[in-house]
Every structure is written in structure tokens, then in C-alpha cells.
Amino acid sequence: MAALLNFHVPKSAGMEQIARLTYESAKRKKCMAGDGQICSSTVLEETFYITSKKNTFYRVKLTEKGLSLQKESNGSTKTETIALNDIIGCRCMCSKKRSADSCACRPGASKIQLRVVESTENFLPYDEYDTSAYLYIYAYILKKARVKGARRRERTTITLRFRSFDKYEDNLREASRWRLAIKCLVARMPVPKMLMSPTHGNLESLLNACPGEQKKLLVLLNPKSGPGRGRETFQRRIHPILSEAERHYDIHITKYPNYAREFVRTKDIYQWCGILAVGGDGILFEVINGIFERPDWEKAVKELPLGVIPCGSGNGLAKSIAHAKQEPYDPNPMLISALSVVKSKKTPIDLIRIETRSQIMFSFLSVGWGFLADIDIESERLRVIGGQRFTVWSVARLIGLRTYKGKVSYLPCEKLPLSESNESLYEQDHIDDGKISHSRSYGDELDRILRYGSVRESRSYHDALDSNSNGAESGSNDFDDEDEVITESLSLETEKQSRHRLDSFYSATSRKSTYFSAGAMSSYHSVNESDGIGQCAENTDNRIIYGPPGKTPALTAQLPSTWIQIKGNFVMVHAAYQTHLAQDCFFAPRARLADGVIWLLIVRAGITRANLLQFLLGLSSGTHLTCSGVEMIPVQAFRIEPEVNGPIGHLTVDGEEVDYGPLQAEVFPSLATVMTP
């Protein structure tokens, strides 16, 4: 449902009153409340009416903290606010002019053919019977689910219809002022006072003044990650959100292993504003190591933040980012990861320099030897079933338990960083003077896809019209539900006796405009294109790796006495630097994105299968660390030396298998930057 609000002024108003945009930013000084707290000033304010409910109207205010909706009905008042942090974008639209060939009255014309809306930035022809300008505001609200303690983000579309003037350009000018102010506030930029003034009539300057990222995103997509639906997932789940936020991109589909690594290493990546890896943890591993194979790696890691869309089986980093920012990841991982991209927030992240006998690489997630590494690699044959492959193979390895002989050395942390507060980062900036109910628009293919992601279905504007025409009285119980102000069938419009009332609300339900309007600015590169990258990029042994030099002794050198050594038989040795190894694997609860710590878990031979089963069952909640025989040690560096004559197992780095043999790792705090919500 898209809540539809309409710009309204009294019919007796003159030109000064018609503009009636209350711009109080001229009074930019803060007002002091009685308790000494600072109030946010109002940037724009307007009253919108609803004709389907008598004596009901909304006072809509745009402040420096969000969009306030004050509903007044029969003397009762209720206010809700959409926090600025929850708004990802807004767009101006108009009803497109229909040609004779697409006349709605011609035989065979269907409703769906009328749902045409186009972006108005370039003055597209409009329907002469509807001079309204529509402002669509897209937000994703943090909501509490019915289950106690559970939260989710839900999509809300607020539509403001400006129709006070007889000319479309005049209505567009008013809508564009709101759009400019919202975009400036979302981007944390000053709102231009001169352009907000009702006396400023230059529409072109309003349209061109909106802030936005000039460069596109580079999207590298692995079509075979996880169950193999990466392309479909991106187009139907991620592109719509990028479109709403007007984040344009160039997408390249990977063609073979290490394609992304070669692309990042050889291309002019500074033409993009960031790199978005769509797939599992493997494609991000390729991107990171491609960056460190560039002589200008320092500039690359500084200027290009990394984003990840979880389409793989593990998706450990995506979950770790959401966990660090207290975002409800599990109900809808795609949504939270997409919001990380469009909100343009950046957070430093630790990287680990890995050295083996044949190569040097950089890791962002984990190093494994033994039990969990065996499960990760050997379950590849079950990739088609997705993340469940780990569960199935865990049972197999538990039955056929293996141990490995070798030596583990580590440099313990001298001092652990202070734990971050458990207080939600979102709550610090959240406006808690109200909760806005969530809604979804009609005919939205994306919403149907997200239905299983805890997003509720709702009625459309047209459904509401149909129900009202059948005798259902809308608005009889406006305040029965204390948790909702905007109902599922809210529709507001200006009462204009001199104008023919044409049902132009199809514009609010356009799938094309809402979800694909930014597509023309983005480019899609198919797998058949020749982009100059070599067709054989799998051999990584002879690559030149740049990046910061190691501070620890070389892999072949003797370790100093400050290192602690453990010899014997091991069931597993696993090092992690993020909280989660997979969406449901809460491996290192005390880890942070950039704490400068490697969390080294050691399970020695002799642990019972019962304790090991308890360990596996506790991985989802973090209680595995309480199991007997399990040690978690915070370290700065470590070395694994498997016995040459012992059983041959698997060594993994970020889920990718490396040569079985000596391996050394060292942490580099805050070396890279990731996109976060």
C-alpha cells in the first residue's frame, strides 16, 4: 500500500498563499524546550487533506530529523515520524501523456496499460487532464514483530500529490522543493535556503541542485554462488532498492574462477565509487586480493568501500556487518545488505595477511584447519541444496571423526579492546515520538517476492476504492488501532471543483517507474562480452602481492619466545575475525569489525563426540564456547604447521582451500572499508 497524500491550499488563497510552503530554515537557530533539550527546526510544512474521510487532514512537516505526519480527525490528534535514517530516497513523477494508440477507451485496453508513470527530471510530456506532481518518498522502517524481541525492516512508500496549480510545471516546482530538501537532509548536507523560498521560481535549478553520487557502483556478480540464482536475485531484490535510492551501477557477470580478481587487478576501478560483490564470501575474497595485486592498493582500499550482497551458502561477512550495526538480518538478508549499499555509510574492517609456502593473500573472515574446514570443502558436492549442505556434512564428519597431528603457535594479545555498547546504533538517532505503520504498493512484483521475508501484504489504493464503493465506510474508526496512524487504504486528494476528477492514481502503482526508473543510467554487461580479461586466471601462485609488509617473522623463520606453542593432535583449529562464519554460525561473539584481534579456537584430540555435538549445536547461539575441550584465544598472529607424515586434511582461507602445509596469519587493523547500514 502506498499512502497517498495531496498538496492542498484553500481555494480563496492568493499567489503568496498558494505557495504556502512554510520555510522555517531561515530561523535556523534551535529552539530550547522547557527541559533544556534542543528541538529540530522545521524545513518544510504543508497540510494535506483526505476526501474519503470527513474532518480528517494531515499536517506534514519535514524536519532535520525526519518526516512528521500529524493526523487530525474530529478533534483527535496523533503524530508519527519517519526517521531520516530510514529514508533512502525520493523521486518526482507525473502521469504520462497517452497517445492515440494507447487510448484507454480503445477495445481490449486493460488496467495494467494505464499504469504508466515516468520520472520528470527531463520535462516529459504529461497528461493534460492531470497536472499534479507526485513525490514518492521511500523508507524502510524498523518495526517490532509480533514475536517478542524480534525486529524487521518494512518498506513504506509515502506519496505526496501536489495539485494546487493549474500548470504541471508549477506543481512540480513545489514537489521538487520537498525532494531537494529531503535529499539534502538524507545526505547530511545543508539545505539551500534560497531554493526553498516560495519566491524562487527556477525549476531547473531545483532539479539540478539535488545531491547525489556522480560515480556509479561497480557490481561484480557470481551467477553460480549458492543455489545458482544470483542474477535473478539481484534483478528482483536488489535493483529495486538501488533504483529507489537512485544509485546507478555497472554490473559485470563473472565467467570463471578468479574473474573478479583479474577484473579488479587490471581495470580502472576509480571510475566507480565502490565495489559491490554479489555472491558468497568467495567473490569478495577475489575482490580483496585483486585490490592487493595492484601497485596502487593504498589508494584503492582508501577510496573504494566494499559492499556484499549475500547470495552464497555461508554469507558470514554480511551477517557480521548486520550484527555489528544491530540490524535485523535474518528475516530479510537481501534487504539489510541492500540498505548497506544505498545508505552510503562506511566502517573500517580488519584484514588478515596470510602466508603459505606458495603464496601471500589477504583474508577478511576466517582460517580453518580440521573439522569445520573439512565440512566446508567436502560439502561442496552438495552445493545445490544451499546452506543445508553444512548441516548434512557435519553429521557425516561427526560419525567419521578425524584428528590431525601438528603444531599451533600464536602471539597472544597484550590488551583486548573495550567491548562496544550493546545499545543499538540505530536507536541513538531514532525518533521515538511515534511509529508509522508499514505499507506496500499495488502490483509490486518485488513485494510478492519479499512476502516470505516477514513483510505483510496490504491492500492497494484501487482495492480501497472498490471496497468503499461497495458500502464500506472508510474512516469510521480512525483511532481504534493505537499502533497505526496511516491505514492500509489511506488516500488523500485536493477538492477542486473547477477540474474534472480523473482517476490518475494508476501513477502510484507503476511497476516500471518505481523499480526500473534508474535502469537506463545503469549498465549490464553480459557473459558473452569480451572485456579483455584473460580466459585462464586460476593459477594464483605466481602473482605479485603488494599490500602492507608483514611484521612477524617469515613463515620459514624461527618464532621468538613471546609466541606460545602447542604440539599434539587436533580435531580442529579455526581462526575468525568476524562474529559470524555463516548466517547461522555465531562463531566469535566478542569479535568486532575492526578490533585488531584474531579469535583462535582450538579443539584438541580427546574431545568426546557428545561434546563435539554440543559444540555444533551451540554454534548458532554462541554457546559453543562453554563446551568442555573448546578453547577460544584472542591473538595478534598465529602459525599452523601440520605434520607432514600425518593424515592429509584441508586448510581454508575465507572458505577457499589453500595448499595443505605451514600457514601463518597476522592482523592488520582497519585496513579496508565496508558499506554498512
Side-chain angles (χ1 to χ4, degrees):
M1 189 277 306
L4 188 60
L5 311 179
N6 297 273
F7 181 88
H8 172 78
V9 294
K11 292 190 278 287
S12 59
M15 285 303 296
E16 289 297 326
Q17 291 172 312
I18 289 178
R20 222 193 139 214
L21 289 170
T22 306
Y23 178 67
E24 297 184 1
S25 292
K27 319 173 192 177
R28 280 315 258 191
K29 58 183 180 180
K30 305 289 185 178
C31 64
M32 298 298 294
D35 58 359
Q37 294 181 344
I38 297 178
C39 304
S40 60
S41 59
T42 300
V43 179
L44 291 171
E45 180 180 356
E46 189 49 62
T47 302
F48 295 85
Y49 290 82
I50 176 170
T51 58
S52 61
K53 296 181 181 180
K54 295 181 180 180
N55 303 321
T56 300
F57 62 93
Y58 283 79
R59 299 188 188 278
V60 181
K61 294 181 181 180
L62 177 63
T63 72
E64 295 172 342
K65 288 191 174 181
L67 192 69
S68 172
L69 304 173
Q70 179 178 309
K71 180 180 180 181
E72 299 187 15
S73 179
N74 297 319
S76 300
T77 301
K78 191 170 185 179
T79 302
E80 296 193 16
T81 301
I82 300 179
L84 196 64
N85 287 342
D86 294 340
I87 298 175
I88 67 168
C90 57
R91 299 178 67 82
C92 288
M93 310 248 183
C94 72
S95 296
K96 186 179 180 182
K97 185 175 182 179
R98 292 186 290 270
S99 64
D101 293 336
S102 62
C103 177
C105 302
R106 79 180 196 280
S110 62
K111 270 189 175 183
I112 194 66
Q113 291 170 311
L114 298 178
R115 297 177 189 140
V116 181
V117 169
E118 298 291 348
S119 173
T120 58
E121 279 82 349
N122 296 321
F123 297 100
L124 295 175
Y126 54 89
D127 183 355
E128 62 268 25
Y129 293 105
D130 182 12
T131 61
S132 305
Y134 299 84
L135 178 64
Y136 294 75
I137 303 171
Y138 306 108
Y140 289 82
I141 311 297
L142 191 65
K143 302 277 288 186
K144 288 185 178 179
R146 295 179 181 177
V147 180
K148 186 177 181 181
R151 300 181 304 158
R152 68 187 185 277
R153 283 202 178 273
E154 292 185 348
R155 177 177 178 270
T156 293
T157 302
I158 300 297
T159 305
L160 304 180
R161 186 184 184 188
F162 296 81
R163 53 176 300 178
S164 297
F165 297 93
D166 292 329
K167 291 183 178 181
Y168 167 71
E169 286 82 359
D170 294 331
N171 290 320
L172 176 60
R173 185 180 301 110
E174 306 309 320
S176 297
R177 284 195 178 94
W178 282 73
R179 175 176 179 259
L180 173 59
I182 292 172
K183 281 189 167 290
C184 287
L185 291 173
V186 169
R188 299 292 190 268
M189 296 177 59
V191 179
K193 299 180 182 180
M194 182 184 68
L195 296 181
M196 291 297 103
S197 171
T199 59
H200 182 84
N202 190 327
L203 176 58
E204 192 70 31
S205 62
L206 287 170
L207 297 177
N208 294 333
C210 286
E213 178 59 60
Q214 300 300 317
K215 295 181 179 180
K216 298 180 182 180
L217 278 170
L218 168 61
V219 179
L220 293 169
L221 186 151
N222 180 6
K224 296 184 179 181
S225 61
R229 294 194 293 267
R231 270 185 275 191
E232 177 186 2
T233 298
F234 180 85
Q235 185 64 22
R236 303 183 71 181
R237 304 282 298 278
I238 306 304
H239 170 85
I241 298 174
L242 296 179
S243 177
E244 289 175 349
E246 297 182 277
R247 292 299 303 270
H248 308 307
Y249 59 85
D250 292 328
I251 181 170
H252 291 261
I253 309 299
T254 62
K255 306 174 186 179
Y256 44 81
N258 282 310
Y259 176 93
R261 188 170 185 165
E262 285 297 299
F263 189 100
V264 172
R265 182 180 70 87
T266 59
K267 295 293 183 178
D268 175 20
I269 56 178
Y270 302 109
Q271 61 184 296
W272 296 291
C273 63
I275 303 176
L276 178 60
V278 182
D281 292 325
I283 189 170
L284 188 61
F285 176 81
E286 290 187 21
V287 169
I288 288 175
N289 283 279
I291 288 176
F292 285 104
E293 289 172 2
R294 299 175 61 97
D296 59 350
W297 64 270
E298 289 183 275
K299 178 181 179 182
V301 295
K302 181 180 180 180
E303 297 184 6
L304 294 172
L306 305 173
V308 56
I309 300 297
C311 296
S313 303
N315 309 315
L317 181 60
K319 178 59 185 272
S320 297
I321 292 173
H323 177 79
K325 299 302 179 181
Q326 305 260 335
E327 286 287 339
Y329 178 88
D330 292 331
N332 199 334
M334 295 292 173
L335 173 60
I336 299 303
S337 298
L339 294 180
S340 299
V341 179
V342 301
K343 287 189 175 182
S344 301
K345 295 181 180 179
K346 303 173 185 178
T347 300
I349 186 175
D350 294 343
L351 292 182
I352 309 301
R353 184 180 185 271
I354 306 291
E355 183 180 354
T356 69
R357 286 182 300 188
S358 60
Q359 59 180 316
I360 294 174
M361 67 197 78
F362 284 84
S363 166
F364 63 90
L365 188 64
S366 67
V367 172
W369 175 40
F371 187 67
L372 290 184
D374 293 346
I375 294 172
D376 195 6
I377 298 303
E378 295 171 8
S379 65
E380 284 287 330
R381 66 195 71 179
L382 302 179
R383 176 174 287 275
V384 68
I385 67 174
Q388 294 300 318
R389 65 186 176 98
F390 299 118
T391 302
V392 173
W393 213 258
S394 295
V395 175
R397 287 277 55 83
L398 189 62
I399 295 173
L401 188 60
R402 303 169 182 164
T403 60
Y404 299 96
K405 188 175 182 180
K407 181 170 61 176
V408 177
S409 308
Y410 60 86
L411 177 64
C413 284
E414 296 180 358
K415 183 179 180 181
L416 287 177
L418 295 176
S419 298
E420 295 179 8
S421 172
N422 291 327
E423 181 180 3
S424 169
L425 298 178
Y426 169 82
E427 294 293 337
Q428 294 175 5
D429 297 323
H430 182 58
I431 301 174
D432 55 4
D433 58 348
K435 299 177 182 179
I436 189 162
S437 62
H438 209 278
S439 59
R440 298 188 299 160
S441 58
Y442 172 88
D444 182 352
E445 186 68 22
L446 177 68
D447 288 339
R448 288 196 286 272
I449 296 170
L450 295 181
R451 190 177 305 170
Y452 61 82
S454 302
V455 183
R456 296 176 296 170
E457 191 67 51
S458 61
R459 294 187 303 161
S460 70
Y461 170 79
H462 298 286
D463 295 333
L465 289 182
D466 293 340
S467 63
N468 289 340
S469 63
N470 292 330
E473 262 319 302
S474 174
S476 58
N477 298 308
D478 290 340
F479 293 90
D480 286 349
D481 189 346
E482 290 301 320
D483 292 330
E484 297 196 10
V485 168
I486 297 183
T487 63
E488 292 183 347
S489 59
L490 179 65
S491 59
L492 308 178
E493 64 178 68
T494 302
E495 188 176 359
K496 198 91 169 176
Q497 296 179 352
S498 60
R499 179 183 301 156
H500 175 62
R501 291 276 300 280
L502 177 70
D503 181 13
S504 60
F505 292 95
Y506 290 114
S507 60
T509 64
S510 168
R511 176 183 173 188
K512 176 181 178 182
S513 65
T514 305
Y515 296 112
F516 298 95
S517 56
M521 297 296 294
S522 302
S523 63
Y524 180 95
H525 301 269
S526 71
V527 296
N528 296 322
E529 289 186 1
S530 175
D531 50 23
I533 298 179
Q535 294 298 312
C536 184
E538 296 199 35
N539 184 9
T540 61
D541 293 347
N542 298 321
R543 296 174 183 272
I544 299 177
I545 294 290
Y546 297 94
K551 301 176 183 178
T552 58
L555 183 61
T556 55
Q558 185 176 358
L559 292 173
S561 59
T562 53
W563 287 57
I564 299 174
Q565 295 184 355
I566 303 174
K567 292 182 179 180
N569 292 318
F570 302 89
V571 170
M572 63 174 288
V573 176
H574 215 97
Y577 0 109
Q578 307 303 334
T579 54
H580 290 76
L581 297 185
Q583 182 170 337
D584 58 351
C585 184
F586 192 24
F587 189 82
R590 297 178 62 189
R592 298 292 180 265
L593 292 176
D595 58 3
V597 178
I598 300 173
W599 297 89
L600 185 65
L601 185 142
I602 300 176
V603 178
R604 306 190 199 192
I607 187 173
T608 65
R609 282 181 171 83
N611 284 340
L612 197 55
L613 177 60
Q614 184 184 0
F615 169 83
L616 290 173
L617 295 176
L619 281 173
S620 61
S621 60
T623 58
H624 60 290
L625 299 180
T626 63
C627 297
S628 176
V630 176
E631 302 175 70
M632 178 72 87
I633 307 167
V635 304
Q636 301 177 53
F638 68 90
R639 179 185 292 183
I640 296 174
E641 298 175 89
E643 184 70 39
V644 178
N645 299 324
I648 302 299
H650 302 280
L651 269 172
T652 62
V653 176
D654 295 348
E656 303 295 317
E657 189 169 16
V658 298
D659 294 339
Y660 192 75
L663 179 148
Q664 184 168 287
E666 174 186 0
V667 64
F668 282 84
S670 304
L671 184 55
T673 304
V674 292
M675 306 173 190
T676 57

